[in-house]
Structure formats: C-alpha cells, structure tokens
Amino acid sequence: MEIGIDSFASAMYGSRTLSSVDAMEQLLDRIVFADQAGLDVFGIGEHHKKEFLDSATAVILAAAAGRTKRIRLTSAVSVLSTADPVRVYQNFATLDLVSKGRAELVVGRGSSVEAYPLFGFNLNDYDALFQEKLDLLLKIRDNEFVTWSGKFRPAIQNLPVYPRSVQPKLPVWLGVGGTPESFMRAGSLGLPLMVAIIGGYTARFRPLIDLYREAGRKAGFTPDQLTVGLHSPGYVARTNEQAVAEYYPGYAELWTKLGRERGWPPVTKAQFDSLMGPEGVLVVGGPEQVAEKLMRHSEALGGVDRFTFQMDNAGLTHSQLMNAIELIGKEVMPLIQPK
C-alpha cells in the first residue's frame, strides 16, 4: 500500500490565520519533508475559497517538484467539470516534465461547487459536464493529435496538444464520493479509483468498490489494472492519547462549521469516538494503531493500493503536521510495507 498526504493548502490553524505567504511556505516545506521521509505521494486539492490557497493546484505542485526528488505529485482533486481539459493536460504534462515523470491527476466533479458559478457553468449540468470533459481529457492523454466534438466546448479537428508528458500515459485517477454511477464509470474506463471517505464507516463502501471491479472486469480489464485508493481524515502522533488530544478540537470546530453551512448537527465527542473505532473513518492515533486501522480498512474493501491522509484541516500547527509526517515515514510505513 502506498501512503501519502492530501492538502487543501489551508491557511487556518484553529483560531489563527497565517498570512498566505507563510502558509504557502510551510506547505512547500511539508511536501519537501514528506519526500525526505519516504512518503509515496503528496496531493493538492482545488478550492476557490478564502481559507484555502489551492485554486492553482499545478502551480503549487510545480514549485514542490523543483525541491523534491522522488515523491509523486498529484491533484486531489482537480474539478474537471469547470476546467478546459486541454489546459488541464498541458499543465500536468508540464508538471510531469518539471518533476521528471512524477505527475498524476485525480479528477472529479467537485464536492465544493463554488467553481461552477465562478467559471460560468450551470450546476444542472453537473454530471454531463464531467462526462464530456473526462472523455476529452483521456483522448488528449492518449493521442498527440485530437479530433473531438461535444456540447460544452468548441470542437477540435485534428489538432495537436503540447507538451506531451514524460510518462507514456499520464496517470489519471477518478475521484469519487458515493454514487454507484461514478464507481462503474471508473471501472468501465479502467481508471484507477480514489475514494474519498470522510464520514461514517469505511466498510460500507465495499459494495461500491465491488461495482467498480465488476464494471472493470466486464470491460476487459484485469484485477491488477483496477487500482483502488482511499482518502480519509487522519493524523499520527506519538501515542493514541496525544493524537486525539491534538486532533479532536480542530476537527470538531471544522465539522461543526461545515454543519452550519450544510444543515448537519454539531459534532459531539461521542460521534468522534465512534469514528475512532475499528470500523470508523478516522485514521487517528499512534503509529501502531494507525497501521492496524489502515490494514483493516484494506481488508474490508478487498484491497487498497494507496491511502492518503487529509491532515491540515483540523487546526493542527505546522510543527504538529511535520511530526506526523515523520512518524508516518519512520514508523507507520514500515509496518505496512515491510522490507
């Protein structure tokens, strides 16, 4: 199982807000440190909100590429529905050049929908936009000269798209939430699957992942071609007690705030403790507990090839996040990836 981190480039540390310059500098330092600590992948999301600095994902990743050597650099996720697939490919092919073949894309429709009015798209076209633009992105990835037509973008008639990526096929993962159609789409296309599970119990996603694998099998893909990734909230500290003490206050603050916006009840400690349980989504604790939970999640889902922690949205300080990265590299990963 590959292990990595996803970030929304948050400038918020609990009640404190860093300057954008300081927050970006610290984020880049964490990516560099993750590379040095041996983590496999670092992802940057895409939002268009004041509290996040990740609206230009490829720019952040390119800055990190120049300071890292081996870690893979990916979006997490790119809101493809509101973007031009030509520019998306060009940006990440350029990142692939800068990083010498370490770029990846995770594309999705976006759970935060602020990009739709910002870029002039109608939310009523939520799925149709994504389906059409994914088709174009894959055609560009697989062909130097492209002929294509659709509803939401002008047609392309036998035109080349440059630059080309270093990797013969730039990896494109499909980021999904909980709709069966999304899992089946990824399987039928043979695309690696990144499942965002941010609440509840991880095992409940097994039927959806089974749909993915079955759709892939029917489309002619072998099991080893159908890769499953898992993205969930998590945090590692020296002990279980320390991890909970540091993580819970910011987690409760964030999810209670989101609840006010989306109609959810406030977070309680009892709910948190339930999600900390063996089947709960939160991968929080000391190194041994975290490693055990990751292996348990993998078994429950029929095998997980990649796990990415979402850590920097719970009011944790830069120092705490750096310590967590060190523990993941030195103590969690050896338990999951024995030599």
Side-chain angles (χ1 to χ4, degrees):
M1 186 192 304
E2 294 180 333
I3 302 294
I5 292 173
D6 290 333
S7 172
F8 296 163
S10 175
M12 301 290 293
Y13 290 129
S15 59
R16 297 189 302 113
T17 302
L18 271 68
S19 73
S20 296
V21 170
D22 289 342
M24 187 62 72
E25 180 181 19
Q26 291 183 2
L27 171 61
L28 291 171
D29 285 346
R30 291 196 294 274
I31 301 174
V32 171
F33 190 58
D35 182 48
Q36 296 167 348
L39 274 66
D40 298 299
V41 61
F42 207 107
I44 301 293
E46 180 189 340
H47 297 82
H48 303 270
K49 296 181 176 181
K50 183 177 182 180
E51 61 265 35
F52 301 125
L53 303 174
D54 58 350
S55 64
T57 306
V59 177
I60 298 173
L61 294 173
R67 296 176 56 189
T68 55
K69 299 193 179 302
R70 50 164 299 280
I71 196 166
R72 297 192 67 78
L73 301 167
T74 184
S75 60
V77 304
S78 293
V79 185
L80 185 61
S81 303
T82 63
D84 183 341
V86 174
R87 293 300 284 165
V88 170
Y89 178 82
Q90 289 174 326
N91 286 340
F92 279 82
T94 303
L95 173 63
D96 208 39
L97 296 174
V98 173
S99 66
K100 298 181 175 63
R102 293 185 283 128
E104 298 186 3
L105 264 166
V106 182
V107 298
R109 296 176 294 183
S111 58
S112 296
V113 297
E114 68 276 357
Y116 287 81
L118 183 63
F119 295 111
F121 293 99
N122 191 327
L123 268 172
N124 292 330
D125 299 323
Y126 186 72
D127 191 64
L129 279 164
F130 181 73
Q131 187 169 339
E132 178 175 296
K133 293 189 175 188
L134 178 62
D135 176 62
L136 176 54
L137 177 65
L138 295 177
K139 277 190 169 57
I140 295 168
R141 180 192 69 170
D142 297 342
N143 302 278
E144 183 176 344
F145 284 78
V146 177
T147 296
W148 177 92
S149 64
K151 176 182 176 182
F152 299 104
R153 187 200 186 282
I156 302 174
Q157 185 61 43
N158 195 35
L159 294 175
V161 178
Y162 300 121
R164 306 305 298 176
S165 63
V166 174
Q167 299 172 87
K169 274 198 173 185
L170 184 70
V172 176
W173 296 62
L174 196 61
V176 299
T179 61
E181 294 79 11
S182 295
F183 286 79
M184 294 173 67
R185 176 187 290 147
S188 65
L189 294 170
L191 295 177
L193 183 76
M194 179 56 71
V195 189
I197 306 179
I198 59 175
Y201 300 93
T202 300
R204 67 191 171 94
F205 278 77
R206 176 63 183 267
L208 294 170
I209 292 174
D210 287 345
L211 280 178
Y212 163 71
R213 292 181 171 127
E214 179 61 16
R217 184 192 66 78
K218 288 181 177 178
F221 297 100
T222 59
D224 62 297
Q225 292 176 294
L226 300 170
T227 301
V228 175
L230 176 60
H231 159 106
S232 291
Y235 177 61
V236 186
R238 177 55 58 189
T239 65
N240 297 336
E241 294 76 16
Q242 180 184 355
V244 170
E246 293 176 354
Y247 187 81
Y248 173 71
Y251 173 87
E253 180 181 343
L254 170 72
W255 286 95
T256 298
K257 178 183 176 183
L258 287 175
R260 287 195 295 269
E261 296 173 359
R262 303 185 185 185
W264 305 333
V267 172
T268 66
K269 186 62 165 57
Q271 290 170 334
F272 178 85
D273 290 341
S274 176
L275 296 179
M276 281 283 296
E279 297 182 358
V281 68
L282 295 177
V283 185
V284 175
E288 289 189 5
Q289 177 165 296
V290 165
E292 289 172 3
K293 193 160 195 178
L294 288 178
M295 298 305 291
R296 190 181 304 117
H297 282 347
S298 180
E299 182 178 357
L301 297 177
V304 170
D305 302 287
R306 174 180 290 183
F307 178 82
T308 55
F309 290 85
Q310 171 52 258
M311 289 198 304
D312 68 353
N313 59 356
L316 298 163
T317 66
H318 177 60
S319 176
Q320 288 170 329
L321 293 169
M322 292 285 271
N323 288 336
I325 290 169
E326 182 175 24
L327 288 170
I328 291 169
K330 286 187 175 180
E331 300 195 25
V332 175
M333 291 179 66
L335 295 172
I336 295 172
Q337 305 171 347
K339 303 249 185 195

